[in-house]
Amino acid sequence: KNEVEQSPQNLTAQEGEFITINCSYSVGISALHWLQQHPGGGIVSLFMLSSGKKKHGRLIATINIQEKHSSLHITASHPRDSAVYICAVRSYDGGSQGNLIFGKGTKLSVKP
Amino acid sequence: EAQVTQNPRYLITVTGKKLTVTCSQNMNHEYMSWYRQDPGLGLRQIYYSMNVEVTDKGDVPEGYKVSRKEKRNFPLILESPSPNQTSLYFCASSLRFRLLQYNEQFFGPGTRLTVL
């Protein structure tokens, strides 16, 4: 079983729709990252969370530490949001604090 | 401009021929890391460095070496490349990697390596 699971794997939406991408993890973590990988391959860091909720523009990320679950929401989606969204967790076992474990990504396509 | 650079961006080589992929950042970041990305497997961490002369293994370190002699540079060395190391490689850096402290990771543009 993967330590970080994302759902759905693929998502197609119409412009303007509200989008939710989910990330569940099975390890103890100190933080969770959301990344965006553009069609050209470049990767951008969107959020890092250790609790609660963060908002940046049309993007909202939430995390529930007790349930080991995080969601990334996109409001009023736009074709330029089309990308692969990747969840990564910073596992904390005391000995490898720099280690990041990644989900396999959610490919989002927003149609005009 | 603040950035992470990788060279080369594309490389085709043959089995066993030693190669180095360079990574450099101009943001005075302490933390640097190497990842590989493969279809169906996603991103996986190879090695990371919390600071100069401090490196540690990630999830898939076999067949790779790294060094961190200077803060700005973190080269990835393949002493004897094999076809299973054909992949897309990303270098990344962040200011620090302290627990519970937000530090955005900045990614390089990627290096596409093919080992024949």
Side-chain angles (χ1 to χ4, degrees):
Chain A
K1 184 182 186 300
N2 294 327
E3 293 167 307
V4 181
E5 299 268 7
Q6 286 185 236
S7 63
Q9 283 187 309
N10 293 283
L11 181 56
T12 300
Q14 286 298 129
E15 183 173 356
E17 285 184 3
F18 181 85
I19 288 161
T20 296
I21 299 170
N22 296 298
C23 176
S24 296
Y25 53 90
S26 57
V27 296
I29 72 167
S30 58
L32 181 143
H33 297 255
W34 281 103
L35 309 172
Q36 179 192 54
Q37 185 168 26
H38 298 290
I43 299 175
V44 175
S45 180
L46 297 175
F47 294 104
M48 191 192 90
L49 295 163
S50 55
S51 65
K53 174 179 172 178
K54 287 191 176 179
K55 184 176 191 289
H56 185 259
R58 295 180 296 106
L59 301 177
I60 304 167
T62 64
I63 187 168
N64 185 318
I65 295 292
Q66 287 73 30
E67 294 186 5
K68 295 189 173 180
H69 181 268
S70 175
S71 293
L72 177 68
H73 306 285
I74 305 175
T75 62
S77 59
H78 189 276
R80 66 174 173 266
D81 297 325
S82 298
V84 176
Y85 292 84
I86 301 168
C87 170
V89 300
R90 194 195 303 178
S91 77
Y92 176 53
D93 64 6
S96 58
Q97 297 172 18
N99 192 216
L100 276 179
I101 306 170
F102 295 84
K104 293 183 180 178
T106 294
K107 186 174 182 180
L108 171 65
S109 178
V110 182
K111 306 293 185 189
Chain B
E1 181 191 353
Q3 60 182 347
V4 178
T5 57
Q6 293 179 228
N7 282 292
R9 295 288 313 279
Y10 303 90
L11 179 61
I12 300 174
T13 189
V14 296
T15 299
K17 186 176 181 183
K18 181 179 178 179
L19 66 93
T20 299
V21 185
T22 64
C23 174
S24 184
Q25 49 89 8
N26 62 0
M27 296 169 277
N28 201 35
H29 284 174
E30 290 183 358
Y31 177 88
M32 298 185 75
S33 182
W34 275 105
Y35 307 96
R36 61 177 289 175
Q37 186 175 39
D38 302 288
L41 296 176
L43 281 160
R44 293 178 292 169
Q45 192 171 34
I46 303 171
Y47 270 96
Y48 62 92
S49 170
M50 301 286 246
N51 212 328
V52 176
E53 302 290 4
V54 181
T55 63
D56 206 349
K57 297 177 181 178
D59 290 324
V60 288
E62 297 78 18
Y64 304 94
K65 283 175 58 176
V66 292
S67 68
R68 187 91 182 274
K69 294 185 172 59
E70 310 164 279
K71 205 169 191 179
R72 64 183 294 126
N73 296 323
F74 190 45
L76 179 70
I77 302 156
L78 286 73
E79 294 269 3
S80 183
S82 61
N84 65 12
Q85 292 178 298
T86 292
S87 187
L88 179 59
Y89 291 87
F90 288 97
C91 179
S93 73
S94 65
L95 184 59
R96 291 183 188 87
F97 212 84
R98 305 281 162 75
L99 292 178
L100 304 181
Q101 181 177 7
Y102 176 72
N103 281 290
E104 178 183 358
Q105 278 210 65
F106 293 82
F107 284 79
T111 294
R112 189 167 292 281
L113 172 66
T114 302
V115 183
L116 301 174

mmCIF file of all heavy atoms in Angstrom, chain A residues 36-85:
data_model
loop_
_atom_site.group_PDB
_atom_site.id
_atom_site.type_symbol
_atom_site.label_atom_id
_atom_site.label_comp_id
_atom_site.label_asym_id
_atom_site.label_seq_id
_atom_site.Cartn_x
_atom_site.Cartn_y
_atom_site.Cartn_z
ATOM 1 N N GLN A 36 2.270 21.848 -7.849
ATOM 2 C CA GLN A 36 1.615 21.883 -9.149
ATOM 3 C C GLN A 36 2.683 21.656 -10.218
ATOM 4 O O GLN A 36 3.705 22.345 -10.225
ATOM 5 C CB GLN A 36 0.947 23.238 -9.358
ATOM 6 C CG GLN A 36 0.248 23.406 -10.697
ATOM 7 C CD GLN A 36 -0.124 24.861 -10.931
ATOM 8 O OE1 GLN A 36 0.715 25.756 -10.855
ATOM 9 N NE2 GLN A 36 -1.393 25.108 -11.242
ATOM 10 N N GLN A 37 2.432 20.676 -11.104
ATOM 11 C CA GLN A 37 3.358 20.436 -12.197
ATOM 12 C C GLN A 37 2.678 20.799 -13.501
ATOM 13 O O GLN A 37 1.672 20.212 -13.892
ATOM 14 C CB GLN A 37 3.822 18.973 -12.238
ATOM 15 C CG GLN A 37 4.889 18.723 -13.297
ATOM 16 C CD GLN A 37 5.561 17.384 -13.155
ATOM 17 O OE1 GLN A 37 4.987 16.447 -12.612
ATOM 18 N NE2 GLN A 37 6.789 17.271 -13.621
ATOM 19 N N HIS A 38 3.261 21.784 -14.181
ATOM 20 C CA HIS A 38 2.683 22.285 -15.417
ATOM 21 C C HIS A 38 2.872 21.283 -16.545
ATOM 22 O O HIS A 38 3.769 20.437 -16.491
ATOM 23 C CB HIS A 38 3.333 23.618 -15.775
ATOM 24 C CG HIS A 38 3.111 24.671 -14.754
ATOM 25 N ND1 HIS A 38 1.892 25.250 -14.531
ATOM 26 C CD2 HIS A 38 3.960 25.233 -13.856
ATOM 27 C CE1 HIS A 38 1.991 26.136 -13.570
ATOM 28 N NE2 HIS A 38 3.234 26.150 -13.141
ATOM 29 N N PRO A 39 2.076 21.402 -17.605
ATOM 30 C CA PRO A 39 2.235 20.485 -18.748
ATOM 31 C C PRO A 39 3.651 20.469 -19.306
ATOM 32 O O PRO A 39 4.097 19.457 -19.816
ATOM 33 C CB PRO A 39 1.226 21.040 -19.761
ATOM 34 C CG PRO A 39 0.164 21.683 -18.928
ATOM 35 C CD PRO A 39 0.882 22.259 -17.752
ATOM 36 N N GLY A 40 4.386 21.558 -19.184
ATOM 37 C CA GLY A 40 5.760 21.585 -19.673
ATOM 38 C C GLY A 40 6.745 20.892 -18.748
ATOM 39 O O GLY A 40 7.916 20.707 -19.096
ATOM 40 N N GLY A 41 6.298 20.500 -17.552
ATOM 41 C CA GLY A 41 7.139 19.736 -16.631
ATOM 42 C C GLY A 41 7.586 20.498 -15.404
ATOM 43 O O GLY A 41 7.993 19.888 -14.425
ATOM 44 N N GLY A 42 7.523 21.835 -15.436
ATOM 45 C CA GLY A 42 7.982 22.609 -14.297
ATOM 46 C C GLY A 42 7.124 22.391 -13.069
ATOM 47 O O GLY A 42 5.906 22.190 -13.163
ATOM 48 N N ILE A 43 7.727 22.410 -11.899
ATOM 49 C CA ILE A 43 7.023 22.162 -10.639
ATOM 50 C C ILE A 43 7.068 23.418 -9.775
ATOM 51 O O ILE A 43 8.122 24.043 -9.614
ATOM 52 C CB ILE A 43 7.658 20.991 -9.869
ATOM 53 C CG1 ILE A 43 7.585 19.706 -10.692
ATOM 54 C CG2 ILE A 43 6.954 20.789 -8.524
ATOM 55 C CD1 ILE A 43 8.293 18.513 -10.057
ATOM 56 N N VAL A 44 5.905 23.751 -9.223
ATOM 57 C CA VAL A 44 5.776 24.922 -8.356
ATOM 58 C C VAL A 44 5.180 24.477 -7.036
ATOM 59 O O VAL A 44 4.246 23.670 -7.001
ATOM 60 C CB VAL A 44 4.869 25.977 -9.010
ATOM 61 C CG1 VAL A 44 4.628 27.135 -8.063
ATOM 62 C CG2 VAL A 44 5.486 26.485 -10.302
ATOM 63 N N SER A 45 5.718 24.997 -5.944
ATOM 64 C CA SER A 45 5.173 24.708 -4.628
ATOM 65 C C SER A 45 3.975 25.613 -4.381
ATOM 66 O O SER A 45 4.059 26.829 -4.541
ATOM 67 C CB SER A 45 6.258 24.959 -3.577
ATOM 68 O OG SER A 45 5.786 24.696 -2.298
ATOM 69 N N LEU A 46 2.825 25.016 -4.001
ATOM 70 C CA LEU A 46 1.614 25.801 -3.759
ATOM 71 C C LEU A 46 1.428 26.106 -2.270
ATOM 72 O O LEU A 46 1.198 27.246 -1.887
ATOM 73 C CB LEU A 46 0.385 25.040 -4.275
ATOM 74 C CG LEU A 46 0.326 24.755 -5.765
ATOM 75 C CD1 LEU A 46 -0.892 23.887 -6.089
ATOM 76 C CD2 LEU A 46 0.293 26.050 -6.560
ATOM 77 N N PHE A 47 1.461 25.066 -1.453
ATOM 78 C CA PHE A 47 1.215 25.224 -0.023
ATOM 79 C C PHE A 47 2.082 24.256 0.763
ATOM 80 O O PHE A 47 2.452 23.192 0.272
ATOM 81 C CB PHE A 47 -0.246 24.857 0.333
ATOM 82 C CG PHE A 47 -1.294 25.755 -0.241
ATOM 83 C CD1 PHE A 47 -2.055 25.331 -1.327
ATOM 84 C CD2 PHE A 47 -1.557 26.987 0.312
ATOM 85 C CE1 PHE A 47 -3.043 26.135 -1.864
ATOM 86 C CE2 PHE A 47 -2.538 27.802 -0.216
ATOM 87 C CZ PHE A 47 -3.284 27.377 -1.307
ATOM 88 N N MET A 48 2.358 24.641 2.005
ATOM 89 C CA MET A 48 2.808 23.698 3.009
ATOM 90 C C MET A 48 1.912 23.873 4.229
ATOM 91 O O MET A 48 1.663 25.000 4.667
ATOM 92 C CB MET A 48 4.252 23.924 3.419
ATOM 93 C CG MET A 48 4.797 22.768 4.256
ATOM 94 S SD MET A 48 6.364 23.123 5.056
ATOM 95 C CE MET A 48 5.791 23.814 6.596
ATOM 96 N N LEU A 49 1.400 22.746 4.725
ATOM 97 C CA LEU A 49 0.442 22.790 5.836
ATOM 98 C C LEU A 49 0.904 21.891 6.949
ATOM 99 O O LEU A 49 1.397 20.802 6.709
ATOM 100 C CB LEU A 49 -0.920 22.239 5.390
ATOM 101 C CG LEU A 49 -1.718 22.960 4.333
ATOM 102 C CD1 LEU A 49 -2.762 22.017 3.785
ATOM 103 C CD2 LEU A 49 -2.383 24.179 4.918
ATOM 104 N N SER A 50 0.680 22.335 8.176
ATOM 105 C CA SER A 50 0.835 21.417 9.307
ATOM 106 C C SER A 50 -0.462 21.313 10.099
ATOM 107 O O SER A 50 -0.621 20.399 10.911
ATOM 108 C CB SER A 50 1.972 21.851 10.218
ATOM 109 O OG SER A 50 1.775 23.183 10.635
ATOM 110 N N SER A 51 -1.385 22.251 9.864
ATOM 111 C CA SER A 51 -2.702 22.188 10.505
ATOM 112 C C SER A 51 -3.631 23.158 9.804
ATOM 113 O O SER A 51 -3.172 24.103 9.148
ATOM 114 C CB SER A 51 -2.617 22.522 11.990
ATOM 115 O OG SER A 51 -2.218 23.870 12.151
ATOM 116 N N GLY A 52 -4.953 22.933 9.963
ATOM 117 C CA GLY A 52 -5.931 23.915 9.551
ATOM 118 C C GLY A 52 -6.084 24.108 8.061
ATOM 119 O O GLY A 52 -6.250 23.156 7.309
ATOM 120 N N LYS A 53 -6.016 25.336 7.636
ATOM 121 C CA LYS A 53 -6.416 25.713 6.287
ATOM 122 C C LYS A 53 -5.563 26.874 5.812
ATOM 123 O O LYS A 53 -5.191 27.739 6.594
ATOM 124 C CB LYS A 53 -7.896 26.131 6.364
ATOM 125 C CG LYS A 53 -8.519 26.692 5.123
ATOM 126 C CD LYS A 53 -9.991 27.006 5.444
ATOM 127 C CE LYS A 53 -10.671 27.746 4.329
ATOM 128 N NZ LYS A 53 -12.101 27.996 4.633
ATOM 129 N N LYS A 54 -5.245 26.874 4.513
ATOM 130 C CA LYS A 54 -4.545 28.007 3.910
ATOM 131 C C LYS A 54 -5.225 28.363 2.599
ATOM 132 O O LYS A 54 -5.737 27.492 1.900
ATOM 133 C CB LYS A 54 -3.072 27.683 3.675
ATOM 134 C CG LYS A 54 -2.242 27.649 4.945
ATOM 135 C CD LYS A 54 -0.756 27.595 4.651
ATOM 136 C CE LYS A 54 0.032 27.656 5.948
ATOM 137 N NZ LYS A 54 1.492 27.576 5.706
ATOM 138 N N LYS A 55 -5.166 29.644 2.256
ATOM 139 C CA LYS A 55 -5.824 30.124 1.032
ATOM 140 C C LYS A 55 -4.868 31.027 0.283
ATOM 141 O O LYS A 55 -4.170 31.848 0.872
ATOM 142 C CB LYS A 55 -7.101 30.882 1.408
ATOM 143 C CG LYS A 55 -7.944 31.357 0.232
ATOM 144 C CD LYS A 55 -9.235 32.000 0.736
ATOM 145 C CE LYS A 55 -10.228 32.242 -0.390
ATOM 146 N NZ LYS A 55 -9.819 33.316 -1.294
ATOM 147 N N HIS A 56 -4.837 30.827 -1.040
ATOM 148 C CA HIS A 56 -4.039 31.706 -1.882
ATOM 149 C C HIS A 56 -4.794 31.887 -3.186
ATOM 150 O O HIS A 56 -4.851 30.976 -4.010
ATOM 151 C CB HIS A 56 -2.647 31.100 -2.128
ATOM 152 C CG HIS A 56 -1.744 32.029 -2.882
ATOM 153 N ND1 HIS A 56 -1.495 31.894 -4.218
ATOM 154 C CD2 HIS A 56 -1.051 33.110 -2.478
ATOM 155 C CE1 HIS A 56 -0.673 32.857 -4.613
ATOM 156 N NE2 HIS A 56 -0.397 33.604 -3.573
ATOM 157 N N GLY A 57 -5.392 33.056 -3.328
ATOM 158 C CA GLY A 57 -6.182 33.302 -4.527
ATOM 159 C C GLY A 57 -7.371 32.363 -4.583
ATOM 160 O O GLY A 57 -8.166 32.275 -3.658
ATOM 161 N N ARG A 58 -7.485 31.603 -5.682
ATOM 162 C CA ARG A 58 -8.601 30.661 -5.840
ATOM 163 C C ARG A 58 -8.293 29.279 -5.267
ATOM 164 O O ARG A 58 -9.108 28.369 -5.382
ATOM 165 C CB ARG A 58 -8.946 30.539 -7.328
ATOM 166 C CG ARG A 58 -9.493 31.836 -7.943
ATOM 167 C CD ARG A 58 -9.819 31.677 -9.422
ATOM 168 N NE ARG A 58 -8.613 31.403 -10.209
ATOM 169 C CZ ARG A 58 -8.300 30.220 -10.721
ATOM 170 N NH1 ARG A 58 -9.089 29.174 -10.537
ATOM 171 N NH2 ARG A 58 -7.196 30.066 -11.432
ATOM 172 N N LEU A 59 -7.137 29.127 -4.691
ATOM 173 C CA LEU A 59 -6.727 27.834 -4.152
ATOM 174 C C LEU A 59 -6.879 27.817 -2.634
ATOM 175 O O LEU A 59 -6.513 28.785 -1.956
ATOM 176 C CB LEU A 59 -5.276 27.536 -4.503
ATOM 177 C CG LEU A 59 -4.901 27.491 -5.987
ATOM 178 C CD1 LEU A 59 -3.411 27.256 -6.145
ATOM 179 C CD2 LEU A 59 -5.677 26.396 -6.685
ATOM 180 N N ILE A 60 -7.439 26.711 -2.141
ATOM 181 C CA ILE A 60 -7.598 26.516 -0.704
ATOM 182 C C ILE A 60 -7.094 25.125 -0.369
ATOM 183 O O ILE A 60 -7.452 24.153 -1.039
ATOM 184 C CB ILE A 60 -9.079 26.617 -0.287
ATOM 185 C CG1 ILE A 60 -9.668 27.963 -0.723
ATOM 186 C CG2 ILE A 60 -9.229 26.435 1.227
ATOM 187 C CD1 ILE A 60 -11.183 28.013 -0.644
ATOM 188 N N ALA A 61 -6.274 25.022 0.667
ATOM 189 C CA ALA A 61 -5.801 23.715 1.113
ATOM 190 C C ALA A 61 -6.182 23.529 2.565
ATOM 191 O O ALA A 61 -6.058 24.454 3.376
ATOM 192 C CB ALA A 61 -4.287 23.606 0.945
ATOM 193 N N THR A 62 -6.663 22.333 2.881
ATOM 194 C CA THR A 62 -7.030 22.005 4.263
ATOM 195 C C THR A 62 -6.339 20.714 4.670
ATOM 196 O O THR A 62 -5.981 19.890 3.820
ATOM 197 C CB THR A 62 -8.554 21.827 4.406
ATOM 198 O OG1 THR A 62 -8.968 20.699 3.616
ATOM 199 C CG2 THR A 62 -9.302 23.067 3.936
ATOM 200 N N ILE A 63 -6.156 20.554 5.959
ATOM 201 C CA ILE A 63 -5.579 19.309 6.460
ATOM 202 C C ILE A 63 -6.264 18.929 7.764
ATOM 203 O O ILE A 63 -6.569 19.798 8.591
ATOM 204 C CB ILE A 63 -4.046 19.418 6.636
ATOM 205 C CG1 ILE A 63 -3.458 18.052 6.985
ATOM 206 C CG2 ILE A 63 -3.685 20.458 7.687
ATOM 207 C CD1 ILE A 63 -1.934 18.014 6.892
ATOM 208 N N ASN A 64 -6.537 17.632 7.919
ATOM 209 C CA ASN A 64 -7.076 17.084 9.156
ATOM 210 C C ASN A 64 -6.060 16.052 9.642
ATOM 211 O O ASN A 64 -5.983 14.942 9.113
ATOM 212 C CB ASN A 64 -8.449 16.453 8.917
ATOM 213 C CG ASN A 64 -9.105 15.977 10.198
ATOM 214 O OD1 ASN A 64 -8.448 15.398 11.067
ATOM 215 N ND2 ASN A 64 -10.385 16.201 10.326
ATOM 216 N N ILE A 65 -5.283 16.445 10.640
ATOM 217 C CA ILE A 65 -4.191 15.586 11.117
ATOM 218 C C ILE A 65 -4.739 14.296 11.719
ATOM 219 O O ILE A 65 -4.176 13.214 11.515
ATOM 220 C CB ILE A 65 -3.330 16.340 12.144
ATOM 221 C CG1 ILE A 65 -2.628 17.538 11.469
ATOM 222 C CG2 ILE A 65 -2.308 15.412 12.785
ATOM 223 C CD1 ILE A 65 -1.573 17.158 10.472
ATOM 224 N N GLN A 66 -5.844 14.394 12.450
ATOM 225 C CA GLN A 66 -6.411 13.194 13.108
ATOM 226 C C GLN A 66 -6.860 12.164 12.084
ATOM 227 O O GLN A 66 -6.652 10.971 12.252
ATOM 228 C CB GLN A 66 -7.587 13.575 14.000
ATOM 229 C CG GLN A 66 -7.204 14.287 15.292
ATOM 230 C CD GLN A 66 -6.761 15.715 15.062
ATOM 231 O OE1 GLN A 66 -7.209 16.364 14.119
ATOM 232 N NE2 GLN A 66 -5.879 16.203 15.912
ATOM 233 N N GLU A 67 -7.453 12.649 10.978
ATOM 234 C CA GLU A 67 -7.948 11.737 9.944
ATOM 235 C C GLU A 67 -6.888 11.438 8.889
ATOM 236 O O GLU A 67 -7.127 10.658 7.970
ATOM 237 C CB GLU A 67 -9.192 12.328 9.292
ATOM 238 C CG GLU A 67 -10.379 12.423 10.236
ATOM 239 C CD GLU A 67 -11.641 12.873 9.541
ATOM 240 O OE1 GLU A 67 -11.626 13.025 8.295
ATOM 241 O OE2 GLU A 67 -12.646 13.079 10.240
ATOM 242 N N LYS A 68 -5.723 12.070 8.977
ATOM 243 C CA LYS A 68 -4.622 11.884 8.027
ATOM 244 C C LYS A 68 -5.117 12.128 6.598
ATOM 245 O O LYS A 68 -4.957 11.293 5.695
ATOM 246 C CB LYS A 68 -4.016 10.479 8.168
ATOM 247 C CG LYS A 68 -3.348 10.278 9.521
ATOM 248 C CD LYS A 68 -2.556 8.983 9.601
ATOM 249 C CE LYS A 68 -1.771 8.939 10.913
ATOM 250 N NZ LYS A 68 -0.981 7.710 11.031
ATOM 251 N N HIS A 69 -5.678 13.301 6.415
ATOM 252 C CA HIS A 69 -6.293 13.629 5.137
ATOM 253 C C HIS A 69 -6.129 15.114 4.850
ATOM 254 O O HIS A 69 -6.216 15.960 5.744
ATOM 255 C CB HIS A 69 -7.787 13.268 5.182
ATOM 256 C CG HIS A 69 -8.497 13.541 3.907
ATOM 257 N ND1 HIS A 69 -9.139 14.739 3.653
ATOM 258 C CD2 HIS A 69 -8.668 12.779 2.799
ATOM 259 C CE1 HIS A 69 -9.667 14.693 2.451
ATOM 260 N NE2 HIS A 69 -9.406 13.516 1.912
ATOM 261 N N SER A 70 -5.898 15.418 3.578
ATOM 262 C CA SER A 70 -5.815 16.803 3.133
ATOM 263 C C SER A 70 -6.590 16.940 1.829
ATOM 264 O O SER A 70 -6.719 15.984 1.062
ATOM 265 C CB SER A 70 -4.354 17.200 2.910
ATOM 266 O OG SER A 70 -4.255 18.509 2.375
ATOM 267 N N SER A 71 -7.128 18.133 1.608
ATOM 268 C CA SER A 71 -7.817 18.428 0.360
ATOM 269 C C SER A 71 -7.272 19.716 -0.232
ATOM 270 O O SER A 71 -6.919 20.649 0.490
ATOM 271 C CB SER A 71 -9.327 18.583 0.590
ATOM 272 O OG SER A 71 -9.917 17.364 0.961
ATOM 273 N N LEU A 72 -7.230 19.732 -1.556
ATOM 274 C CA LEU A 72 -6.900 20.951 -2.301
ATOM 275 C C LEU A 72 -8.143 21.323 -3.094
ATOM 276 O O LEU A 72 -8.662 20.504 -3.859
ATOM 277 C CB LEU A 72 -5.721 20.716 -3.234
ATOM 278 C CG LEU A 72 -5.328 21.893 -4.133
ATOM 279 C CD1 LEU A 72 -4.753 23.029 -3.289
ATOM 280 C CD2 LEU A 72 -4.301 21.454 -5.177
ATOM 281 N N HIS A 73 -8.629 22.533 -2.894
ATOM 282 C CA HIS A 73 -9.812 23.006 -3.613
ATOM 283 C C HIS A 73 -9.411 24.124 -4.565
ATOM 284 O O HIS A 73 -8.563 24.958 -4.236
ATOM 285 C CB HIS A 73 -10.859 23.562 -2.627
ATOM 286 C CG HIS A 73 -11.241 22.607 -1.546
ATOM 287 N ND1 HIS A 73 -12.062 21.518 -1.764
ATOM 288 C CD2 HIS A 73 -10.915 22.588 -0.231
ATOM 289 C CE1 HIS A 73 -12.234 20.872 -0.636
ATOM 290 N NE2 HIS A 73 -11.547 21.493 0.319
ATOM 291 N N ILE A 74 -10.049 24.120 -5.727
ATOM 292 C CA ILE A 74 -9.880 25.210 -6.673
ATOM 293 C C ILE A 74 -11.260 25.778 -6.957
ATOM 294 O O ILE A 74 -12.163 25.055 -7.420
ATOM 295 C CB ILE A 74 -9.233 24.743 -7.999
ATOM 296 C CG1 ILE A 74 -7.905 24.038 -7.719
ATOM 297 C CG2 ILE A 74 -9.027 25.929 -8.944
ATOM 298 C CD1 ILE A 74 -7.250 23.429 -8.954
ATOM 299 N N THR A 75 -11.455 27.038 -6.640
ATOM 300 C CA THR A 75 -12.736 27.675 -6.928
ATOM 301 C C THR A 75 -12.682 28.339 -8.301
ATOM 302 O O THR A 75 -11.607 28.775 -8.753
ATOM 303 C CB THR A 75 -13.077 28.724 -5.871
ATOM 304 O OG1 THR A 75 -12.057 29.741 -5.899
ATOM 305 C CG2 THR A 75 -13.117 28.118 -4.481
ATOM 306 N N ALA A 76 -13.841 28.383 -8.973
ATOM 307 C CA ALA A 76 -13.941 29.032 -10.290
ATOM 308 C C ALA A 76 -12.803 28.591 -11.203
ATOM 309 O O ALA A 76 -11.997 29.406 -11.675
ATOM 310 C CB ALA A 76 -13.956 30.552 -10.128
ATOM 311 N N SER A 77 -12.725 27.283 -11.453
ATOM 312 C CA SER A 77 -11.596 26.732 -12.208
ATOM 313 C C SER A 77 -11.501 27.353 -13.609
ATOM 314 O O SER A 77 -12.486 27.787 -14.217
ATOM 315 C CB SER A 77 -11.730 25.215 -12.315
ATOM 316 O OG SER A 77 -12.947 24.869 -12.960
ATOM 317 N N HIS A 78 -10.271 27.353 -14.099
ATOM 318 C CA HIS A 78 -9.955 27.978 -15.387
ATOM 319 C C HIS A 78 -9.046 27.024 -16.157
ATOM 320 O O HIS A 78 -8.292 26.270 -15.547
ATOM 321 C CB HIS A 78 -9.247 29.313 -15.117
ATOM 322 C CG HIS A 78 -9.065 30.161 -16.334
ATOM 323 N ND1 HIS A 78 -8.003 29.986 -17.200
ATOM 324 C CD2 HIS A 78 -9.823 31.156 -16.837
ATOM 325 C CE1 HIS A 78 -8.110 30.856 -18.184
ATOM 326 N NE2 HIS A 78 -9.197 31.574 -17.984
ATOM 327 N N PRO A 79 -9.088 27.057 -17.488
ATOM 328 C CA PRO A 79 -8.197 26.165 -18.257
ATOM 329 C C PRO A 79 -6.723 26.273 -17.863
ATOM 330 O O PRO A 79 -5.997 25.286 -17.931
ATOM 331 C CB PRO A 79 -8.426 26.616 -19.701
ATOM 332 C CG PRO A 79 -9.853 27.051 -19.726
ATOM 333 C CD PRO A 79 -10.072 27.703 -18.387
ATOM 334 N N ARG A 80 -6.275 27.438 -17.405
ATOM 335 C CA ARG A 80 -4.871 27.560 -17.005
ATOM 336 C C ARG A 80 -4.560 26.778 -15.720
ATOM 337 O O ARG A 80 -3.385 26.627 -15.358
ATOM 338 C CB ARG A 80 -4.475 29.014 -16.823
ATOM 339 C CG ARG A 80 -5.156 29.730 -15.701
ATOM 340 C CD ARG A 80 -4.601 31.146 -15.501
ATOM 341 N NE ARG A 80 -5.380 31.883 -14.507
ATOM 342 C CZ ARG A 80 -6.386 32.690 -14.800
ATOM 343 N NH1 ARG A 80 -6.733 32.870 -16.062
ATOM 344 N NH2 ARG A 80 -7.029 33.325 -13.857
ATOM 345 N N ASP A 81 -5.598 26.293 -15.034
ATOM 346 C CA ASP A 81 -5.379 25.439 -13.855
ATOM 347 C C ASP A 81 -5.043 24.005 -14.265
ATOM 348 O O ASP A 81 -4.699 23.180 -13.404
ATOM 349 C CB ASP A 81 -6.627 25.409 -12.967
ATOM 350 C CG ASP A 81 -6.967 26.780 -12.394
ATOM 351 O OD1 ASP A 81 -6.037 27.546 -12.087
ATOM 352 O OD2 ASP A 81 -8.173 27.079 -12.269
ATOM 353 N N SER A 82 -5.145 23.683 -15.538
ATOM 354 C CA SER A 82 -4.846 22.339 -16.012
ATOM 355 C C SER A 82 -3.387 22.008 -15.718
ATOM 356 O O SER A 82 -2.474 22.707 -16.166
ATOM 357 C CB SER A 82 -5.119 22.221 -17.512
ATOM 358 O OG SER A 82 -6.485 22.448 -17.793
ATOM 359 N N ALA A 83 -3.183 20.959 -14.961
ATOM 360 C CA ALA A 83 -1.841 20.592 -14.497
ATOM 361 C C ALA A 83 -1.969 19.290 -13.723
ATOM 362 O O ALA A 83 -3.073 18.775 -13.521
ATOM 363 C CB ALA A 83 -1.259 21.682 -13.591
ATOM 364 N N VAL A 84 -0.835 18.783 -13.279
ATOM 365 C CA VAL A 84 -0.835 17.661 -12.334
ATOM 366 C C VAL A 84 -0.597 18.233 -10.941
ATOM 367 O O VAL A 84 0.355 19.001 -10.733
ATOM 368 C CB VAL A 84 0.258 16.633 -12.676
ATOM 369 C CG1 VAL A 84 0.298 15.538 -11.615
ATOM 370 C CG2 VAL A 84 -0.007 16.022 -14.047
ATOM 371 N N TYR A 85 -1.443 17.864 -9.997
ATOM 372 C CA TYR A 85 -1.333 18.337 -8.617
ATOM 373 C C TYR A 85 -0.820 17.194 -7.751
ATOM 374 O O TYR A 85 -1.370 16.096 -7.770
ATOM 375 C CB TYR A 85 -2.675 18.863 -8.120
ATOM 376 C CG TYR A 85 -3.060 20.128 -8.853
ATOM 377 C CD1 TYR A 85 -3.703 20.061 -10.085
ATOM 378 C CD2 TYR A 85 -2.729 21.375 -8.342
ATOM 379 C CE1 TYR A 85 -4.014 21.218 -10.791
ATOM 380 C CE2 TYR A 85 -3.043 22.542 -9.035
ATOM 381 C CZ TYR A 85 -3.680 22.448 -10.261
ATOM 382 O OH TYR A 85 -3.982 23.599 -10.959
#
